[in-house]
Amino acid sequence: SAIQRKRNPWENVRFMIFDLAVMRQPIESRLATLASLSLPPHCQLVPHRQLTGHDDLDAMESEIVAAGGEGLILRAPNSYYAPSNFQKVKRLHRDLNRSVLD
């Protein structure tokens, strides 16, 4: 008889890191510090990139949604961490039963 290993339901959980809020530096410095850290395997940095305009924003938002994401968080270059420095980008999406607007 075959012995089957019982799967741990937590083994595929990832801790996604977006920012280093405790560091009082511009976003570029915070991201550089995060990139230099040696993180455990269950921790993953969320990729960041600078957009070049509305077409780039639309393309990136479409890519994220197609991959199962909800939308984007925008921050100005050289910005410090503060809740008022973020802008959410979420579009109206339709599925078979409902519409979602945030």
Side-chain angles (χ1 to χ4, degrees):
S1 76
I3 297 175
Q4 293 184 354
R5 183 177 83 108
K6 185 175 178 181
R7 291 186 55 112
N8 177 348
W10 290 96
E11 70 185 331
N12 292 322
V13 172
R14 297 287 176 262
F15 183 74
M16 304 302 290
I17 302 172
F18 292 86
D19 202 342
L20 188 57
V22 297
M23 190 175 167
R24 301 187 64 69
Q25 297 289 325
I27 183 66
E28 295 81 2
S29 296
R30 297 192 312 267
L31 294 177
T33 299
L34 282 171
S36 72
L37 298 177
S38 177
L39 299 170
H42 69 279
C43 293
Q44 183 177 344
L45 297 179
V46 174
H48 290 73
R49 74 171 234 216
Q50 190 166 355
L51 301 175
T52 58
H54 290 287
D55 290 341
D56 198 17
L57 172 63
D58 288 341
M60 176 63 104
E61 191 268 346
S62 294
E63 182 182 319
I64 295 296
V65 170
E70 294 181 13
L72 302 171
I73 299 291
L74 303 180
R75 293 181 272 205
N78 300 309
S79 62
Y80 285 75
Y81 185 88
S84 61
N85 288 346
F86 302 166
Q87 179 65 48
K88 270 189 190 179
V89 176
K90 292 173 100 174
R91 305 289 168 98
L92 178 63
H93 299 283
R94 296 191 181 273
D95 68 18
L96 297 175
N97 300 311
R98 66 181 184 273
S99 296
V100 179
L101 178 62
D102 184 23

